[in-house]
DNA sequence: TTGTAAGCGTTATCAT
DNA sequence: ATGATAACGCTTACAA
């Protein structure tokens, strides 16, 4: 039995679907169909143009009905600009950056702005990417990564691209940024002080990381103010679980009562070293604190005390900046989002 | 003190950088500059065109020197096709899908193919996206998600888009797919049998998930063949840690000696329920096995026995398919990548 | 307010 | 093998 002549297509599609395979309607065709000029169609679809509300409504209604949508490629060419936004990433292993990318890309789509993904490897540098940005007429670039060099960012900006940095900043008025307030790590010192701990240590990320440095600095300062003792300090080569694990083993030599980590991932590596693989009690033997409040931090078996990193609000800020830039509006270009301490089960008084 | 008249620009850039801000060179300008026709320039940059090797080399060399790069937007318009590839995602919480997106996007960039990201939310369906695919002249779509409905995929294909599915398949010759061999879960049954375990259970993902179903089926079949006892079975609403945690608690009522999970994430949820939060010994009291071999599986405190999911090879397959499609070559459109069992520390004989 | 026409920077079809 | 020239589907002066 064949399905060709009697059963019809196997997948049932509506009429408009079936037409799909034929080339999309153009503005000219729509214009001819509904009896207006092609430029009127174009104007109906762009805001800030002089069309009578009536004609615009008519055109949009007919377009909807006949399935017309402006071809953005032609529009980009004509306008010499594109609504594509470059999104630069490099840290797919960081839950926080992934979360940002997730939420950001969803929000962008709602606004009909589409993200072209530039996922840079360790080696890649600005030059190559810049050429691509130009080829696509991309005006705006959002950087979700701590690993792209400042130099790269500066070059994009110098080339006239608008740059929005997530989670970092370069002191330059032309470059927007939205970051969490890393100085919130001082709250950790207060918390540890209150539960009676005095000897503390810090385990950080790579020495080159500004995020780690800022979190450390605010913590160390508050520790000193409170008269607590910073007995140990370790850096790592990366922000990995293993790095947190190793850093913890190393820092334990100084017998701290509590350890602050630059990120939750490091802290969970520490939990592994101390508890899962180490046989110590957390917080009985040592308290540990992370930073970021990633999903994993509230798993039943983890319950990590940490500093909340408000990703949704950071993404809100980036979207706002994006619209501000695209509309040529003025306004503050640097956003700082506050976090707060989330106390869970990995901090507590030392056991007697 | 001002920097305006004496100190020069703060960021020093080379000459070619400084020129950056001015509009990019066009083919016409380059042609005039080096004394050939504009079409010769165009030909030099497209393969399969008739230019003498000599002229092509000359043009490319001069282009390199003068910083010319063809504007892809104009090229897309003229060719009525774009080298942009739509990458559709929906599961940013799944480490495997994230890993795929990471590797895939890096590989694509090496080939000068750029991914436009479509990160669909739970609610979003095919129709809206289809319009955008058309607006961008996007011919090829790669789907990295189990949550996009078959219907959506069928609609894109019916509209003439080439679709590549990662980690799933739709039996339709027009749709490419690259997946891991989910039947490798039968190896788990063999392994458990060999170490002397007889009572086993399965904890899966959502009932609607084909991946979970396939993994379960191959396991269950082998369990039956070996004469082992499938004493319990739980599904979940999602592939989350909590779901693995809850499913484990539920399935323990049937007193299994070992549990296979549809994914590593679920298995780690199980480890939490049993060991971290549950006070049982793994594998002393129960053995557990995951599927995927995500990074976390080899953390010191986890050491999960699992089935390897070869993401790099799956990405290789997708890239191959992509090139095959873009070059109009024929060839097999369905790839199945083998995995293998990785025995770590969460499986072992029951303690006496 | 609306229509006409000249680009935008390519590719592709002609001649030569 | 190379050079004119007409699309490609828009935006945007300029005219009406």
């Amino acid at each position: 039995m064949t399905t060709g002549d009697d059963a019809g297509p196997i997948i049932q599609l509506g009429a408009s679907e079936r037409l799909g395979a034929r080339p999309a309607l153009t503005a000219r065709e729509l214009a001819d169909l509904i009896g207006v000029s092609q430029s009127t169609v174009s104007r109906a679809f762009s805001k800030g143009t002089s069309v009578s509300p009536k004609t615009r409504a008519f055109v949009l209604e007919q377009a909807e009905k006949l399935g017309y949508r402006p071809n953005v490629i032609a529009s980009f060419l004509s306008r010499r600009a594109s609504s594509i936004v470059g999104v630069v990433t490099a840290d797919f292993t960081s839950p926080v950056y992934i979360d940002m990318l997730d939420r950001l890309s969803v929000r962008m789509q709602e606004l009909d702005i589409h993200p072209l993904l530039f996922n840079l490897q360790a080696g890649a540098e600005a030059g190559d990417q810049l050429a691509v940005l130009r080829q696509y007429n991309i005006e705006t670039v959002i950087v979700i990564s701590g690993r792209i060099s400042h130099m790269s960012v500066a070059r994009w900006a110098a080339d006239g691209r608008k740059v929005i940095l997530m989670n970092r900043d370069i002191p330059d008025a032309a470059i927007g940024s939205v970051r969490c307030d890393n100085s919130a790590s001082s709250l950790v010192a207060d918390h540890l002080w209150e539960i009676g701990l005095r000897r503390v240590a810090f385990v950080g990320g790579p020495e080159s990381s500004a995020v780690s440095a800022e979190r450390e600095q605010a913590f160390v300062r508050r520790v000193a103010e409170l008269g607590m003792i910073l007995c140990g300090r370790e850096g790592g080569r990366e922000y990995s679980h293993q790095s947190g694990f190793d850093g913890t083993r190393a820092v334990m030599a100084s017998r701290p009562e509590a350890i602050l980590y630059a990120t939750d991932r490091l802290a969970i590596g520490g939990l592994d070293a101390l508890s899962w693989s180490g046989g110590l009690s957390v917080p009985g033997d040592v308290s540990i604190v992370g930073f970021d409040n990633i999903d994993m931090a509230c798993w039943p078996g983890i319950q990590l005390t940490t500093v909340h990193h408000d990703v949704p609000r950071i993404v809100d800020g980036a979207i706002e900046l994006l619209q501000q830039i695209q509309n040529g509006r003025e306004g503050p270009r640097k956003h700082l989002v506050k976090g707060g301490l989330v106390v869970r089960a990995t901090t507590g008084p030392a056991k007697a």
Side-chain angles (χ1 to χ4, degrees), chain A residues 94-101 103 144-146 165-168 178-185 187-188 211-212 214-215 239 261-265 290-295 297 304-316 335-342 344:
Chain A
S94 156
V96 174
Y97 287 130
I98 288 297
D99 194 14
M100 286 183 185
L101 178 58
R103 302 185 120 96
I144 315 186
S145 166
L165 299 174
M166 315 265 299
N167 228 23
R168 60 193 280 202
V178 197
R179 338 156 41 205
C180 87
D181 180 12
N182 288 323
S183 72
S185 53
L187 301 176
V188 175
V211 168
S212 182
E214 288 175 14
R215 292 174 182 182
Y239 280 114
Y261 297 80
T263 68
D264 284 355
R265 291 210 82 189
F291 199 121
D292 282 339
N293 197 20
I294 63 178
D295 280 350
L304 182 68
T305 293
T306 187
V307 179
H308 185 60
H309 190 153
D310 197 340
V311 172
R313 282 191 54 203
I314 288 183
V315 168
D316 285 347
H335 293 194
L336 200 64
V337 175
K338 291 277 171 203
L341 189 68
V342 181
R344 295 205 183 88

Side-chain angles (χ1 to χ4, degrees), chain A residues 84-146:
Chain A
I84 293 179
V85 166
V87 173
V88 179
T89 59
D91 305 292
F92 267 60
T93 54
S94 156
V96 174
Y97 287 130
I98 288 297
D99 194 14
M100 286 183 185
L101 178 58
D102 187 7
R103 302 185 120 96
L104 186 72
S105 50
V106 167
R107 292 290 307 276
M108 284 173 67
Q109 262 151 253
E110 294 167 358
L111 301 169
D112 250 298
I113 300 171
H114 297 273
L116 200 68
L117 189 61
F118 291 85
N119 186 13
L120 270 47
Q121 277 182 303
E125 263 313 316
D128 322 334
Q129 311 309 323
L130 183 53
V132 180
L133 295 179
R134 292 167 138 229
Q135 288 188 302
Y136 280 89
N137 292 0
I138 290 177
E139 302 177 285
T140 317
V141 178
I142 301 183
V143 179
I144 315 186
S145 166

Side-chain angles (χ1 to χ4, degrees), chain A residues 53-271:
Chain A
K54 209 167 126 182
T55 344
R56 164 169 282 145
F58 174 66
V59 172
L60 293 179
E61 174 206 317
Q62 293 297 310
E64 170 80 49
K65 182 152 74 188
L66 299 170
Y68 168 77
R69 287 267 218 133
N71 179 312
V72 294
I73 297 293
S75 156
F76 293 169
L77 179 60
S78 179
R79 287 166 36 219
R80 255 149 305 169
S82 102
S83 63
I84 293 179
V85 166
V87 173
V88 179
T89 59
D91 305 292
F92 267 60
T93 54
S94 156
V96 174
Y97 287 130
I98 288 297
D99 194 14
M100 286 183 185
L101 178 58
D102 187 7
R103 302 185 120 96
L104 186 72
S105 50
V106 167
R107 292 290 307 276
M108 284 173 67
Q109 262 151 253
E110 294 167 358
L111 301 169
D112 250 298
I113 300 171
H114 297 273
L116 200 68
L117 189 61
F118 291 85
N119 186 13
L120 270 47
Q121 277 182 303
E125 263 313 316
D128 322 334
Q129 311 309 323
L130 183 53
V132 180
L133 295 179
R134 292 167 138 229
Q135 288 188 302
Y136 280 89
N137 292 0
I138 290 177
E139 302 177 285
T140 317
V141 178
I142 301 183
V143 179
I144 315 186
S145 166
R147 294 216 313 235
I148 313 300
S149 74
H150 281 201
M151 188 58 200
S152 298
V153 173
R155 277 163 90 175
W156 297 334
D159 190 58
R161 317 290 143 185
K162 318 290 183 205
V163 181
I164 298 176
L165 299 174
M166 315 265 299
N167 228 23
R168 60 193 280 202
D169 189 28
I170 299 179
D172 173 335
I175 297 174
S177 81
V178 197
R179 338 156 41 205
C180 87
D181 180 12
N182 288 323
S183 72
S185 53
S186 66
L187 301 176
V188 175
D190 288 307
H191 170 61
L192 297 176
W193 168 270
E194 277 165 26
I195 59 179
L197 305 180
R198 295 297 175 266
R199 292 178 61 85
V200 300
F202 180 83
V203 173
E207 301 301 336
S208 59
S209 162
V211 168
S212 182
E214 288 175 14
R215 292 174 182 182
E216 177 173 10
Q217 202 182 338
F219 177 65
V220 168
R221 174 177 304 149
R222 189 64 185 144
V223 160
E225 284 173 8
L226 291 167
M228 296 162 77
I229 300 154
L230 185 78
C231 62
R233 193 246 169 236
E234 288 291 326
R237 268 191 329 233
E238 40 184 10
Y239 280 114
S240 66
H241 183 86
Q242 191 63 44
S243 195
F245 189 96
D246 296 340
T248 301
R249 289 269 155 106
V251 92
M252 282 304 285
S254 65
R255 308 220 137 271
E257 295 166 322
I259 308 174
L260 171 65
Y261 297 80
T263 68
D264 284 355
R265 291 210 82 189
L266 293 173
I268 292 168
L271 183 63

